[in-house]
Amino acid sequence: MGKKCIICGQPAEYAIKDSSEFYCQDCAHEHFSDLEMLQKVETQAQTLKAMIKKKVDDVPEGD
């Protein structure tokens, strides 16, 4: 399930880091003068996947 913009409901492309606030391209441009303050949703997803993989890899295998 994709993330939705909290303002207009369109598919989100940006998020505030460490937050559940997501924005589409247009709303992000309208409400933030510098998009560098925001994190791309795909980047956020990749970071989460890497953290999960590390946790799984750290679990010792059962006998």
Side-chain angles (χ1 to χ4, degrees), residues 14-34:
Y14 293 97
I16 294 177
K17 187 174 182 177
D18 300 327
S19 164
S20 61
E21 295 182 17
F22 300 94
Y23 301 91
C24 69
Q25 180 79 25
D26 292 337
C27 290
H29 276 288
E30 184 177 327
H31 290 87
F32 298 94
S33 59
D34 183 8

Side-chain angles (χ1 to χ4, degrees), residues 13-56:
E13 293 183 40
Y14 293 97
I16 294 177
K17 187 174 182 177
D18 300 327
S19 164
S20 61
E21 295 182 17
F22 300 94
Y23 301 91
C24 69
Q25 180 79 25
D26 292 337
C27 290
H29 276 288
E30 184 177 327
H31 290 87
F32 298 94
S33 59
D34 183 8
L35 294 184
E36 293 296 318
M37 295 172 36
L38 303 175
Q39 185 176 34
K40 288 285 238 174
V41 170
E42 183 59 29
T43 302
Q44 191 177 46
Q46 293 300 326
T47 301
L48 182 58
K49 286 178 186 178
M51 287 174 28
I52 292 170
K53 182 176 180 347
K54 183 179 183 327
K55 290 284 186 188
V56 169

